[in-house]
Amino acid sequence: MDIAYLSTLSALAGSVVGGLTSGVATWLSQRAQARESQFAREMARRDDLYKEFIAAASKAYGEAIVSNEPNVQEFVALYAMISRMRLQSPPQTVACAEKVMRATIDTYFAPGKTIRELHESAQRDLESICSRTSAKSRARSCGHSQPGRTFHALEALRAS
């Protein structure tokens, strides 16, 4: 084989390898960006669902404190949100949401509370949540917590 052909083939092979490498790197980069974008959209969707659930559950719980007549429409809406959580969320989050719903239903059947009793109960709950938060912060600073996003409002209720 002539040396001119050999050098031409070598240059051509180098160009093909370089082009393929560039193409594969671009494809991998685009794929990673698409996954990241999809994950961000999924997290935003979850966050919106959690915000909606917290608002609806807070309203239902507040009404349960002052009324003995359950609003069925609110519970249907809460149950629908929990069903959506089953599709999108970890089992612990769903369990916490169910616990919130049970607590709200139980509140309807509990005897009415005075303003003073509500205040004392809120103080106890706040102190309990603050002490758990402080313990979790200490554990995190020591490296004993698992990384990741959590649904903190439901997590606090689950721990109680």
Side-chain angles (χ1 to χ4, degrees):
M1 188 179 263
D2 191 9
I3 286 224
Y5 287 126
L6 186 60
S7 67
T8 304
L9 285 176
S10 295
L12 187 59
S15 295
V16 168
V17 168
L20 284 175
T21 303
S22 175
V24 168
T26 302
W27 176 72
L28 289 173
S29 174
Q30 291 289 331
R31 185 175 167 201
Q33 286 176 353
R35 280 186 188 170
E36 216 172 279
S37 175
Q38 182 180 3
F39 181 74
R41 282 191 306 272
E42 182 180 319
M43 291 307 297
R45 195 175 323 123
R46 279 188 195 176
D47 287 347
D48 291 343
L49 175 59
Y50 296 159
K51 287 176 195 174
E52 186 180 341
F53 179 80
I54 290 171
S58 299
K59 181 180 177 197
Y61 188 76
E63 287 185 21
I65 289 173
V66 297
S67 173
N68 289 335
E69 282 296 317
N71 185 343
V72 176
Q73 291 175 336
E74 286 181 355
F75 286 112
V76 169
L78 284 175
Y79 187 74
M81 286 181 231
I82 291 173
S83 295
R84 287 180 18 216
M85 284 182 198
R86 283 189 181 96
L87 298 173
Q88 301 176 7
S89 304
Q92 310 105 293
T93 304
V94 175
C96 292
E98 289 172 340
K99 185 176 179 180
V100 168
M101 190 162 173
R102 280 191 305 272
T104 303
I105 291 170
D106 291 345
T107 303
Y108 271 110
F109 298 112
K113 292 185 177 182
T114 65
I115 297 293
R116 183 180 231 19
E117 291 171 331
L118 287 174
H119 177 71
E120 290 170 357
S121 175
Q123 284 297 112
R124 278 193 310 273
D125 292 346
L126 183 60
E127 288 170 4
S128 174
I129 289 171
C130 288
S131 68
R132 283 193 304 273
T133 303
S134 152
K136 286 181 183 180
S137 296
R138 286 192 302 271
R140 282 188 188 114
S141 67
C142 296
H144 292 100
S145 68
Q146 294 180 351
R149 296 179 70 159
T150 23
F151 186 33
H152 298 293
L154 291 178
E155 181 75 20
L157 287 172
R158 181 174 66 87
S160 62

